[in-house]
Each structure stands twice: as C-alpha cells, then as structure tokens.
Amino acid sequence: NNTIEQTGRNGIQLTRNSYVHISNNVIRNNPRNSIEVQDSRTRIGGSLDEPPQPAPNLIEGNGGHGVVVSRGSIARINGNTIRNSGQNGIFVEKLSHADIGSNIIEGNAQNGIQATQNSGVNLGADTGAGLEQSPNSTGTPNGQYGIDLSLGAYADGRLGSLTGVNGQRRYTTDANDSLLPADLPPSPTSIRFDPTSVRPAGSFTATVSGANLSAQTYFDIRFLAPDSTTDAVALNWQQGTSAAHTIPADTPAGTWTVTGVRAHRESGDHTGPFAPILASFTVTR
C-alpha cells in the first residue's frame, strides 16, 4: 500500500540474495526501472495464500523497464498492471526465470515482455483460470511485440491477448517458443489514418491494429469511393501494420471509407473473410 514515485533512480531494487513480496503498491514515474531484481527472488502481486489471491501493483510511466529480472533471479509476477514504460514492460535476462500470469501489460514503448540470454518465462499455463494460470492481456498495444525472445530464451504457456503494434511475438532461431496455440491467424480490429485529410499528391500513414499482426502481414481493404454505394476491393494494399500511401493526383475529392480489412501471411492468399472495420479519410482540393 505504498506509492513510490520520482525516486531519482529505480522505484524498488532487490540485490544480493534478497526475497521480497511486493503487493498493492503504486510504483510510477521513476526515471529508471520500476522494480529491478538482481541475484534475488520476488513475488510481485498476488497474495501469499494458496491459491494466491489478487494483490495487484500499478506499475506505470517509468523511464526504463517496468520490471527487470536479472542475473539468475526468479520472479512470480501475477495480477498487476504494467503500462507506459519507456522500454519493456517486463525484461528477463542473464539466466533468470519469471512466471508471468494474469497481468495487464500495455502501452510500453518496446515489448510487453522481452526474455534474452538463456532466460525463460511461463505466461500463465496451458489451461486453467487461476491468478497464476491465466494468460496476460493487452488493451493499448505495446510499441513493438507482445513478447520478444532472443539468445537462447524460451517461453511457454498462453499468449492471451498480449500483443504489440508489430504482432504478438518475435523470436530468433536460437529461442524456443512453445506458446499455445501454435499458429494464431492474423486478426485485424481497427485501422487508423494520419492525417485524415489529404490533398492529391499528398500522403498519409495507415496503421492497422489487432492480434498476430507483423511487419510481414499483407492487408486487403474493402472500401467505398466518394458518392459510391458499391464496395470495391484493393488486394495487398499494404504490407506491415504501418505504411505510408501517396494519393494519386487524379484521385476524386471526397470521403473514402474503409468498410473491411482482411489480413493474410501469403501475398496470394485472398480467401479469408474481411473483418468489418469502419474508418475514413478525406481527399480535398
């Protein structure tokens, strides 16, 4: 039940074989990491009851990582809100391990979770609905991926809705990704235009959000031209979740409305249904 903010360094630091249970705190706006664990063990959120009950921490707006688990440390991170960090929501490195379940991990500048250097994470469990078994979730997507694995790291459990603007997960060939389900289909949920008003020969950026999207995902759009009542379709209109588009000089003025988006991993696969999504931009003269 503490509020720990604007410390000048980390919010909480554990080192030299410490053990600490951190619950029901607000840890925010510290210039470095919210919680840094080195050579130690910790439980972050969740009571000491068996089975554990919610005891959430709010970890937000810190300049570095939300939680760092480093140098052979072990952490159980359950039921917290970890958001708007300047780097990763949770960073696990250097032969460390973390059980991470039932957290809201969102809006962090890099990944929701990053594990590296022979470290491992369990994202809840393959089944179950308890505090330690349930997967993590995301409202506002993280800046890169839901989870990023590299340099011999591993992950197991369920992805839930954990995601970033580039998709749910990224891993190098030396990492071990056993997350279930093994091959989630790309699923767009919204599209945003910036700016929403543009002149011919000008440009705008289209950003698609959703689950299991990446820089390799292709997007078809279904749309209505100004003064038209019949949908048209543009195949492979964009690759990647964010891309710039130039308006041809002869484009008719008026409001152009996207009525659906279809995502696919292969450029020639246009067999899936369109997700019903409404968004518009205006061409002005």
Side-chain angles (χ1 to χ4, degrees):
N1 297 312
N2 303 286
T3 296
I4 303 171
E5 60 185 350
Q6 299 177 358
T7 61
R9 289 178 63 87
N10 300 312
I12 298 174
Q13 184 164 338
L14 285 68
T15 188
R16 299 180 182 177
N17 297 312
S18 301
Y19 175 78
V20 175
H21 179 208
I22 302 169
S23 61
N24 292 315
N25 302 283
V26 175
I27 310 168
R28 65 188 177 197
N29 300 334
N30 298 290
R32 294 183 62 181
N33 306 309
S34 173
I35 301 172
E36 184 171 308
V37 186
Q38 293 188 14
D39 310 306
S40 299
R41 298 177 62 194
T42 184
R43 178 180 290 195
I44 302 172
S47 70
L48 296 176
D49 301 325
E50 290 298 338
Q53 302 302 308
N57 299 282
L58 173 59
I59 299 168
E60 65 176 358
N62 297 279
H65 306 290
V67 179
V68 176
V69 186
S70 181
R71 299 183 183 278
S73 296
I74 298 174
R76 296 167 72 179
I77 306 170
N78 302 113
N80 308 281
T81 296
I82 304 171
R83 66 190 182 197
N84 301 337
S85 304
Q87 294 180 276
N88 299 289
I90 300 174
F91 183 52
V92 186
E93 65 167 354
K94 298 177 181 176
L95 286 170
S96 298
H97 179 85
D99 293 333
I100 305 170
S102 300
N103 301 283
I104 299 170
I105 306 173
E106 63 178 6
N108 299 287
Q110 295 180 351
N111 306 288
I113 300 168
Q114 183 174 9
T116 188
Q117 296 174 330
N118 296 304
S119 297
V121 295
N122 289 337
L123 305 188
D126 292 347
T127 60
L131 188 69
E132 295 185 329
Q133 292 78 38
S134 296
N136 304 282
S137 62
T138 295
T140 302
N142 297 284
Q144 295 180 6
Y145 292 88
I147 182 168
D148 189 341
L149 305 174
S150 64
L151 299 177
Y154 69 88
D156 197 7
R158 287 178 285 173
L159 283 163
S161 64
L162 180 68
T163 195
V165 297
N166 294 327
Q168 285 204 293
R169 58 190 177 190
R170 177 176 65 178
Y171 56 96
T172 59
T173 56
D174 59 352
N176 180 8
D177 180 352
S178 301
L179 297 168
L180 298 177
D183 189 21
L184 293 167
S187 179
T189 57
S190 66
I191 186 169
R192 177 172 53 86
F193 303 112
D194 184 24
T196 57
S197 180
V198 63
R199 294 179 179 276
S203 64
F204 65 91
T205 298
T207 302
V208 184
S209 299
N212 313 312
L213 309 179
S214 74
Q216 287 72 50
T217 305
Y218 292 90
F219 297 96
D220 305 335
I221 59 167
R222 187 181 62 203
F223 64 95
L224 287 171
D227 302 322
S228 175
T229 58
T230 303
D231 283 321
V233 172
L235 302 179
N236 296 338
W237 181 71
Q238 177 170 309
Q239 185 179 18
T241 55
S242 184
H245 299 266
T246 299
I247 301 294
D250 59 351
T251 300
T255 298
W256 295 73
T257 302
V258 171
T259 62
V261 178
R262 176 169 57 202
H264 48 101
R265 294 191 175 99
E266 301 295 332
S267 62
D269 179 12
H270 308 288
T271 58
F274 282 91
I277 294 172
L278 280 176
S280 62
F281 65 92
T282 301
V283 176
T284 62
R285 292 191 181 274

